[in-house]
Amino acid sequence: MISYARQNPEASPDGAPPPAEDHIAPAPRVSVQAFCETVETAAAVQSAGEDRRLAKAHLKIQMGGMAAAVEAYRTAPTPNVIILETEGRTDILTGLDHLATVCDSGTRVIVIGRINDVTLYRELVRRGVSDYVIAPINTIDVVRSICGLFSSPEAKAVGRIIAIVGAKGGVGSSTVAHNVAWAIARDLALDSVVADLDLAFGTAGLDYNQDPPQGIADAVFSPDRVDTAFIDRLLSKCTDHLSLLAAPATLDRVYDFGVEAFDAIFDTLRSTMPCIVLDVPHQWAGWTKRALVAADDILIVAAPDLANLRNTKNIFDLLKAARPNDRTPLYCLNQVGIPKRPEINASEFAKAIESEPIVSIPFDPQMFGAAANNGQMIAEISENHRSTEMFRQIAQRLTGRGETKKPRGSFLSPLIDKLRSK
């Protein structure tokens, strides 16, 4: 068994999703075997196995606790992770001593117990237990504990994936995605990459005024070559903190993908970038559904009409059901206030979806048209534009971060800047 990995954080209320700042990185492909004493714990572990962050883990559950584990591993190799539920103090220490005689080197052990005592905790650490979780536990406790074993403090943090999708074609979801990514990189000073997943018609290259010779198509059609170095060569640098994985936007081939087509790309980006913004096209396929369900946070962009309301609710309900241990998706209204167009107002949207829109972005064809034609973001044209602040708010909500405070200048700063410019 390995040495202690981390102390389990305070458990969240039963059934409640983790808070916005509680980013749990997905576990790699590992085998996990749990030996439970109670059906309640077994149910929590079973539910955790269905969580998106353990999608690559192979989980097996047995009853019988510590005794069953010791007996099982007398004749079988141990998995990457063992979860043990136990009752009393003596049972834990004695059982661990017996387990150590049959446990393979490198196996990590999580103990679930009912004794909240620092002396016991230290003794468990001394014996090589990776994590000790106080029962009763819920689904997110199990997910956090398993995933935490593979996110040591000295390891590079696994990046957060943000997926942005339109409820209907033509609602401006790509424009929102690109401006939000710009705000994440510029205002929050967070290294980010935009992945344009609309390979046939993507506009990220145009919006950022980039024309890279390579992009995401080179990776998705060469999955055996995907690694950190390969992805780095495909990235186009937009600013100091923002890079682009551009779509080819050509029709010389058909872009039909399997469900797992982008998995290797996303995994590699996670290992190198703190924030990945997916510009997801408005289409429903196995890979688009997988990208949305597997994302850490989701923003749905909708226009204020009936079709958008229906589609937003459908996407919202599906993602809530598929991601019971995550934050609910966010949505925003875009192109609000088109002259002479009947609209469904924000309060009606909120009533139907049972959630308020994060912002309502006003219709401003002159500003957004100029930005699109010039290959600029709204903040580059007008720092004080109302939409600039809205994109900043969305960025803060999606990342769980506040705005990075800029250092205050002295009253002489304007004069000094003027002299430097001469």
Side-chain angles (χ1 to χ4, degrees):
M1 291 181 283
I2 66 165
S3 61
Y4 167 68
R6 66 181 182 89
Q7 183 175 356
N8 184 53
E10 184 179 346
S12 58
D14 189 31
E21 64 275 13
D22 188 5
H23 173 47
I24 303 174
R29 297 186 188 277
V30 292
S31 56
V32 183
Q33 293 182 8
F35 295 84
C36 304
E37 295 276 8
T38 63
V39 294
E40 291 80 11
T41 297
V45 176
Q46 179 66 42
S47 178
E50 299 168 0
D51 188 273
R52 65 177 179 83
R53 285 157 289 210
L54 295 181
K56 295 181 180 179
H58 179 71
L59 178 63
K60 182 179 179 182
I61 303 171
Q62 296 175 238
M63 303 304 291
M66 188 80 72
V70 174
E71 187 62 32
Y73 298 130
R74 291 188 193 278
T75 56
T78 51
N80 301 111
V81 180
I82 301 173
I83 300 176
L84 300 169
E85 184 183 15
T86 187
E87 297 289 339
R89 178 193 302 265
T90 305
D91 293 343
I92 297 178
L93 300 180
T94 303
L96 286 174
D97 289 341
H98 290 158
L99 183 64
T101 64
V102 297
C103 191
D104 297 337
S105 175
T107 295
R108 309 183 185 203
V109 176
I110 298 170
V111 174
I112 300 172
R114 287 170 171 74
I115 301 173
N116 191 357
D117 180 76
V118 67
T119 304
L120 172 63
Y121 178 76
R122 288 171 178 164
E123 191 59 36
L124 292 174
V125 172
R126 193 180 70 81
R127 278 172 162 80
V129 169
S130 298
D131 200 2
Y132 179 61
V133 188
I134 304 297
I137 62 169
N138 58 33
T139 300
I140 202 64
D141 294 329
V142 180
V143 173
R144 183 188 291 113
S145 187
I146 295 174
C147 293
L149 299 179
F150 304 95
S151 301
S152 59
E154 65 273 9
K156 190 169 184 176
V158 176
R160 177 189 296 260
I161 288 184
I162 295 170
I164 300 180
V165 65
K168 189 170 175 284
V171 298
S173 63
S174 291
T175 298
V176 172
H178 305 160
N179 279 275
V180 168
W182 181 275
I184 291 172
R186 190 194 69 156
D187 298 320
L188 307 184
L190 192 63
D191 287 336
S192 307
V193 61
V194 174
D196 190 343
L197 304 186
D198 189 354
L199 273 69
F201 303 106
T203 59
L206 296 175
D207 285 352
Y208 290 123
N209 197 24
Q210 299 284 322
D211 187 21
Q214 294 178 300
I216 196 167
D218 298 270
V220 76
F221 288 114
S222 303
D224 55 320
R225 298 177 60 193
V226 173
D227 57 22
T228 301
F230 183 61
I231 292 296
D232 282 346
R233 289 198 298 272
L234 301 181
L235 292 175
S236 173
K237 197 168 186 64
C238 301
T239 69
D240 288 342
H241 292 289
L242 183 64
S243 298
L244 170 65
L245 196 54
T250 57
L251 304 180
D252 55 350
R253 66 197 310 172
V254 176
Y255 301 105
D256 290 333
F257 303 120
V259 174
E260 302 178 359
F262 290 89
D263 285 9
I265 299 172
F266 296 162
D267 289 345
T268 304
L269 287 172
R270 276 187 185 275
S271 69
T272 59
M273 280 286 181
C275 185
I276 303 100
V277 177
L278 305 183
D279 181 3
V280 183
H282 179 71
Q283 64 181 82
W284 198 242
W287 68 269
T288 52
K289 179 181 178 182
R290 185 178 179 88
L292 291 172
V293 171
D296 295 295
D297 288 284
I298 303 158
L299 176 71
I300 305 167
V301 181
D305 63 32
L306 185 59
N308 276 274
L309 175 58
R310 179 201 64 188
N311 294 354
T312 299
K313 182 165 177 56
N314 286 343
I315 298 171
F316 202 86
D317 291 347
L318 180 140
L319 292 175
K320 282 180 65 178
R323 300 155 46 88
N325 308 308
D326 286 89
R327 281 203 301 168
T328 56
L330 301 174
Y331 75 97
C332 72
L333 297 180
N334 192 30
Q335 302 172 351
V336 175
I338 293 181
K340 299 183 180 180
R341 180 183 71 173
E343 295 183 346
I344 298 174
N345 61 39
S347 62
E348 292 298 320
F349 254 82
K351 183 178 179 181
I353 298 173
E354 299 179 347
S355 177
E356 295 283 342
I358 181 172
V359 296
S360 294
I361 303 171
F363 178 66
D364 189 341
Q366 183 173 355
M367 177 62 69
F368 281 83
N373 289 337
N374 295 335
Q376 292 179 297
M377 297 294 101
I378 300 300
E380 292 182 279
I381 297 179
S382 176
E383 176 65 35
N384 298 321
H385 193 268
R386 184 179 173 190
S387 297
T388 300
E389 177 57 32
M390 290 183 176
F391 292 134
R392 188 178 297 117
Q393 291 174 24
I394 296 173
Q396 291 169 349
R397 284 285 298 276
L398 287 172
T399 60
R401 294 185 175 212
E403 184 176 3
T404 301
K405 296 187 183 298
K406 298 182 176 72
R408 294 179 62 183
S410 70
F411 70 96
L412 292 176
S413 294
L415 178 60
I416 293 173
D417 292 338
K418 188 177 293 187
L419 291 172
R420 285 175 176 170
S421 64
K422 291 183 178 181

